[in-house]
């Protein structure tokens, strides 16, 4: 896949109107050391012909308008110099976000709309992401709009995880889309409300981390190399698996995520079992939205981090022998305990094992659900994206991301980097191996 990206302009986009100048506190979840990272995604939009104005200009102007109610995103991370330990805050200075425009002398069709972007080397895809701004600018959001010859475009989006989770980032981008389509204000009023997620008992834990670690923790590099693979699962297969669960449990229901997570964990275990001992402990980890788990209900417009890790363990032998129904029930039981486990952490500071820092091992599988974040609903005036996909520069933990298949197809797309090359073929054959679960 050869294409040359020519960047034509770059600069900061500040709020289009004056905004408050103050310092805002982050929540106890925002300030977790594991969230000192940048989320990178590509969003592919087909044939932008509804406007005579280039997409880059439309989105740039809309960003300035959206940053008025979302003014903290135009600020900068800082450490509270008056605190007796490094306490991360947001300085609302109105400096703006970093915005780059670029073009490519080919069509999106020629690059297959980046349908299999997860399998393309990062060195190729990074040209669609905004390059680092000059030293010292340190924006929280970076965007590159790359216009293709067909009038379609790709948005390369980089977000500081310290200020938004996936739901919050999508909420902001939907607001930008509304502004681009002529709205005067977002349909959802943004709310900071980080004071509702605080825990004095956890402050001592954060004191143990030096400033340098809080700024950018670097996990150890594992001794394995993970291969990327996309696995498409049809809606018919998903529905068949759900119906099978319904029959075998006497009427209990399960979600699409439950089915896909259980299937991937069990199938991956079978694929890599030649490297495992029968009694070896495997971990399944995923983040659960905790917006409804707090004692005080968060307002609809909250856009900060509000999730908690759910961790499930099982032996290799158990997972190899278990039915899909058994594994789905394990996941459902763990989800049912979310309120208790999250309450222990937020109220009592139970940190013997940090849930936000899982072990970086081949036996750990992290699964994330992206299909319900809201990015597939963002519309800048040319309709929602054909698809969006994560961009992973380093693969240090086995991961499966549950997303949607590119439009107009329906069904689930699993974007994975969870096995070594020796196990890739077995994992890639998974869709044909679903028959043993459908009875």
């Amino acid at each position: 896949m050869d294409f040359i990206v020519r960047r034509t302009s770059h600069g900061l986009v500040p709020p289009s109107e004056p905004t408050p100048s103050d310092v805002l506190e982050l929540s106890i979840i925002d300030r977790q050391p594991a969230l000192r990272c940048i989320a990178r995604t590509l969003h592919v939009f087909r044939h932008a012909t509804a406007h005579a104005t280039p997409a880059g200009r439309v989105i740039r102007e809309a960003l300035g308008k959206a940053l008025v109610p979302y003014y903290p995103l135009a600020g900068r991370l800082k450490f509270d110099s008056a605190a007796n330990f490094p306490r991360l805050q947001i300085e609302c200075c109105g400096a703006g976000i970093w915005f780059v425009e670029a073009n490519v002398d080919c069509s999106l069709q020629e690059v297959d709309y980046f349908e299999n972007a997860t399998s393309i080397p990062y060195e190729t895809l990074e040209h669609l992401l905004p390059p680092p701004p000059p030293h010292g600018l340190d924006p929280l959001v970076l965007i590159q709009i790359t216009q293709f010859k067909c009038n379609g475009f790709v948005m390369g989006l980089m977000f500081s995880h310290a200020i938004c989770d996936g739901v919050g980032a999508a909420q902001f981008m939907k607001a930008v889309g509304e502004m681009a389509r002529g709205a005067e204000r977002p349909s959802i009023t943004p709310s900071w409300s980080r004071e509702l997620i605080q825990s004095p008992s956890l402050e001592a834990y954060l004191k143990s981390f030096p400033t340098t670690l809080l700024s950018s923790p670097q996990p150890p590099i594992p001794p394995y190399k993970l291969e990327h693979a996309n696995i498409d699962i049809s809606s018919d297969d998903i529905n068949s698996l759900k119906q099978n669960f319904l029959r075998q449990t006497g009427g209990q229901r399960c979600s699409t995520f439950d089915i896909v997570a259980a299937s991937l964990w069990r199938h991956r275990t079978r694929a890599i079992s030649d490297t495992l001992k029968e009694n070896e402990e495997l971990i399944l980890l995923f983040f659960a939205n905790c917006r409804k788990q707090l004692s005080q209900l968060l307002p609809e417009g909250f856009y900060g981090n509000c999730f908690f890790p759910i961790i499930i363990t099982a032996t290799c032998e158990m997972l190899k022998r278990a039915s899909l129904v058994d594994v789905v029930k394990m996941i459902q039981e763990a989800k049912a305990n979310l309120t208790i486990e999250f309450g222990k952490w937020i109220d009592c500071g139970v940190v013997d094992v940090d849930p936000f820092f899982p072990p970086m091992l081949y036996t750990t599988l992290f699964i994330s659900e992206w299909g319900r974040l809201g990015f597939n609903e963002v519309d800048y005036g040319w309709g929602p994206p054909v698809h969006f996909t994560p961009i992973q520069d380093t693969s240090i933990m086995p991961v499966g991301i549950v997303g949607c298949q590119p439009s107009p197809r329906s069904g689930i797309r699993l974007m994975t980097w969870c096995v070594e090359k020796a196990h890739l073929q077995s994992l890639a054959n998974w869709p044909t191996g679903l028959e043993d679960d459908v009875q």
Side-chain angles (χ1 to χ4, degrees):
M1 182 176 290
D2 294 325
F3 57 91
I4 299 175
V5 175
R6 300 176 179 84
R7 296 186 175 102
T8 56
S9 67
H10 61 264
L12 290 170
V13 178
S16 60
E17 300 175 14
T19 55
S21 298
D22 52 13
V23 175
L24 296 176
E25 296 292 339
L26 292 165
S27 77
I28 194 67
I29 299 179
D30 296 330
R31 292 188 286 119
Q32 289 302 304
L35 299 188
R36 300 288 83 76
C37 62
I38 300 293
R40 299 171 173 85
T41 52
L42 291 185
H43 307 250
V44 182
F45 292 83
R46 190 192 305 268
H47 304 305
T49 56
H51 287 279
T53 309
R57 188 182 306 171
V58 171
I59 295 172
R60 181 188 178 97
E61 292 177 1
L63 282 166
K65 295 176 182 178
L67 284 172
V68 175
Y70 283 92
Y71 68 91
L73 296 181
R76 297 295 183 262
L77 290 171
K78 68 179 287 288
F79 288 101
D80 182 4
S81 58
N84 58 2
F85 71 100
R87 184 182 180 89
L88 202 60
Q89 300 172 316
I90 296 293
E91 182 178 11
C92 299
C93 56
I97 68 173
W98 186 245
F99 189 79
V100 178
E101 292 187 67
N103 59 61
V104 173
D105 191 23
C106 70
S107 69
L108 282 170
Q109 186 174 13
E110 290 176 71
V111 292
D112 199 23
Y113 294 92
F114 296 99
E115 182 168 325
N116 295 298
T118 52
S119 62
I120 301 172
Y122 176 78
E123 293 75 19
T124 299
L125 293 177
E126 68 175 337
H127 297 293
L128 298 171
L129 294 169
H135 179 70
L137 293 185
D138 303 323
L140 297 171
V141 184
L142 302 91
I143 293 175
Q144 178 173 310
I145 301 298
T146 304
Q147 193 82 44
F148 282 72
K149 190 170 60 175
C150 60
N151 289 324
F153 65 94
V154 171
M155 172 182 284
L157 178 63
M158 298 171 61
F159 243 99
S160 170
H161 213 325
I163 196 170
C164 290
D165 59 13
V167 174
Q171 177 182 309
F172 171 67
M173 297 314 297
K174 282 193 280 188
V176 175
E178 291 172 338
M179 298 298 192
R181 302 195 314 273
E184 294 184 2
R185 63 184 64 87
S187 58
I188 296 176
T189 302
S191 175
W192 188 252
S193 302
R194 310 297 168 106
E195 72 281 357
L196 300 180
I197 313 178
Q198 299 298 339
S199 173
S201 59
L202 284 169
E203 295 297 338
Y205 168 65
L206 289 181
K207 290 180 184 179
S208 66
F209 285 87
T211 304
T212 53
L213 183 58
L214 277 169
S215 301
S216 55
Q218 297 297 322
I221 298 175
Y224 50 74
K225 181 180 179 181
L226 299 172
E227 299 290 332
H228 290 72
N230 286 339
I231 301 171
D232 289 340
I233 311 172
S234 69
S235 297
D236 289 342
D237 277 339
I238 294 292
N239 290 332
S240 295
L241 293 169
K242 286 183 175 181
Q243 288 300 315
N244 185 48
F245 183 86
L246 188 73
R247 287 193 300 269
Q248 293 195 36
T249 58
Q252 295 181 34
R253 297 187 180 276
C254 65
S255 69
T256 296
F257 176 82
D258 295 341
I259 282 287
V260 174
S263 298
L264 177 59
W265 194 26
R266 192 176 66 130
H267 185 73
R268 177 183 183 268
T269 300
R270 293 175 175 180
I272 68 172
S273 60
D274 62 324
T275 66
L276 304 173
K277 298 176 182 178
E278 291 294 294
N279 63 349
E280 193 157 2
E281 191 173 80
L282 305 178
I283 294 175
L284 177 68
L285 167 71
F286 56 92
F287 291 131
N289 190 333
C290 290
R291 283 165 168 76
K292 296 182 179 180
Q293 307 298 326
L294 295 164
S295 56
Q296 286 184 269
L297 189 65
L298 288 171
E300 180 187 15
F302 177 82
Y303 58 100
N305 290 288
C306 192
F307 56 84
F308 189 71
I310 291 179
I311 300 173
I312 308 169
T313 61
T315 65
C316 173
E317 181 180 15
M318 181 270 170
L319 282 174
K320 285 170 60 179
R321 296 177 183 274
S323 69
L324 184 62
V325 170
D326 292 333
V327 183
V328 168
K329 285 184 174 180
M330 290 173 60
I331 292 173
Q332 290 181 329
E333 289 171 5
K335 289 165 66 175
N337 288 328
L338 173 63
T339 301
I340 295 173
E341 296 301 319
F342 180 63
K344 286 180 182 177
W345 182 81
I346 202 79
D347 295 332
C348 307
V350 179
V351 293
D352 292 338
V353 177
D354 184 356
F356 287 90
F357 263 122
M360 301 293 179
L361 301 172
Y362 200 48
T363 49
T364 300
L365 175 63
F366 172 67
I367 296 183
S368 181
E369 184 174 24
W370 283 39
R372 299 173 64 184
L373 296 179
F375 284 114
N376 57 338
E377 302 169 0
V378 175
D379 181 358
Y380 302 107
W382 300 277
V386 177
H387 70 104
F388 69 99
T389 184
I391 301 300
Q392 189 75 7
D393 55 344
T394 57
S395 301
I396 60 175
M397 175 185 283
V399 169
I401 293 179
V402 183
C404 302
Q405 292 190 35
S407 176
R409 303 199 301 271
S410 63
I412 293 297
R413 165 159 289 184
L414 260 174
M415 296 164 278
T416 71
W417 46 95
C418 68
V419 297
E420 295 181 279
K421 188 173 184 179
H423 304 127
L424 184 60
Q425 189 59 49
S426 178
L427 187 78
N429 287 337
W430 176 22
T432 61
L434 287 174
E435 290 86 352
D436 67 325
D437 292 319
V438 181
Q439 302 174 4

